[in-house]
Amino acid sequence: MDHLELVNKAIDGDEASFALLIQERREHIYRMAFTYVNNQDDALEIVQETVYRAFISVHKLKQAQYFNTWLTKIAVNCAIDYLRKKKKVVYVEQVQEASYVQHSREDKMVLYEALGQLDEKSKTVLMLRYFEDRSIKDIADLLDTPVSTVKSIIYRGLEKLKLNLGERELLE
């Protein structure tokens, strides 16, 4: 059965189809949650909340082809809500190693620490763009923000990131 058929069945109330869809995306949801909270237990709690919210509202999804985008949006909102509730300072330290150029562990820690100093919106947009490899249009749709605003957030976020990294180099 293809992905769209599963989504349509889930929308129609088939719990088994919904479970299969979540099974396919659980690692993605967990990684995203973990980059926000940097704690396994908190990330699992965000995943649980994401699955719950998705389950109770899947029938409202109008276009099956946007299931993954819709689920990612729920995960981002759950992570942000969680952080607001807990009022934690987040330092992103680990992202599962992907196909990007390998750097030393120390370089990665410096980068994630600099990311952690950004405001929520900038961090979210940069993570979606560069860690999740989302298009600018996709990010705009996920965050209900105009494309031009997303571009501005990326530009300002990268500038802040460069400043944060530059200040760190000056201190060393």
Side-chain angles (χ1 to χ4, degrees):
M1 187 179 310
D2 79 337
H3 181 75
L4 287 179
E5 286 179 50
L6 277 176
V7 174
N8 283 320
K9 282 187 170 190
I11 290 170
D12 291 337
D14 183 15
E15 292 178 15
S17 296
F18 181 80
L20 287 172
L21 290 166
I22 293 299
Q23 189 74 15
E24 289 174 0
R25 301 293 293 167
R26 74 172 190 253
E27 188 175 318
H28 168 79
I29 297 167
Y30 175 79
R31 276 187 313 199
M32 177 164 283
F34 191 85
T35 57
Y36 275 92
V37 294
N38 196 31
N39 177 296
Q40 183 178 8
D41 294 333
D42 293 344
L44 290 172
E45 192 170 324
I46 291 168
V47 170
Q48 182 178 358
E49 181 67 18
T50 300
V51 171
Y52 170 73
R53 287 186 191 179
F55 182 74
I56 63 171
S57 62
V58 70
H59 66 279
K60 297 177 185 175
L61 183 62
K62 296 195 184 342
Q63 295 179 318
Q65 68 267 27
Y66 295 118
F67 178 82
N68 291 339
T69 301
W70 173 78
L71 189 62
T72 300
K73 184 175 183 175
I74 292 172
V76 167
N77 288 334
C78 285
I80 290 170
D81 289 349
Y82 186 85
L83 289 174
R84 284 184 184 138
K85 286 178 190 171
K86 294 290 184 176
K87 294 185 181 181
K88 286 186 175 181
V89 175
V90 178
Y91 293 100
V92 182
E93 287 186 19
Q94 292 180 340
V95 172
Q96 193 170 33
E97 305 221 354
S99 61
Y100 48 85
V101 178
Q102 297 295 316
H103 295 284
S104 74
R105 195 175 219 11
E106 185 177 313
D107 288 345
K108 288 178 185 176
M109 288 177 61
V110 168
L111 174 62
Y112 300 139
E113 187 176 310
L115 264 173
Q117 294 173 3
L118 298 177
D119 59 280
E120 274 182 22
K121 192 78 146 181
S122 296
K123 182 170 47 173
T124 298
V125 169
L126 290 176
M127 283 174 25
L128 288 170
R129 179 74 175 125
Y130 297 107
F131 291 106
E132 296 292 326
D133 200 27
R134 298 284 185 146
S135 70
I136 292 173
K137 169 102 175 79
D138 195 17
I139 295 168
D141 291 343
L142 272 170
L143 301 177
D144 292 325
T145 307
V147 170
S148 59
T149 302
V150 171
K151 288 178 182 178
S152 296
I153 292 170
I154 289 172
Y155 176 77
R156 285 192 311 268
L158 288 173
E159 289 300 312
K160 289 178 194 172
L161 198 58
K162 286 178 192 174
L163 278 174
N164 290 348
L165 291 170
E167 288 174 4
R168 177 156 175 97
E169 286 178 11
L170 289 175
L171 293 174
E172 292 177 349

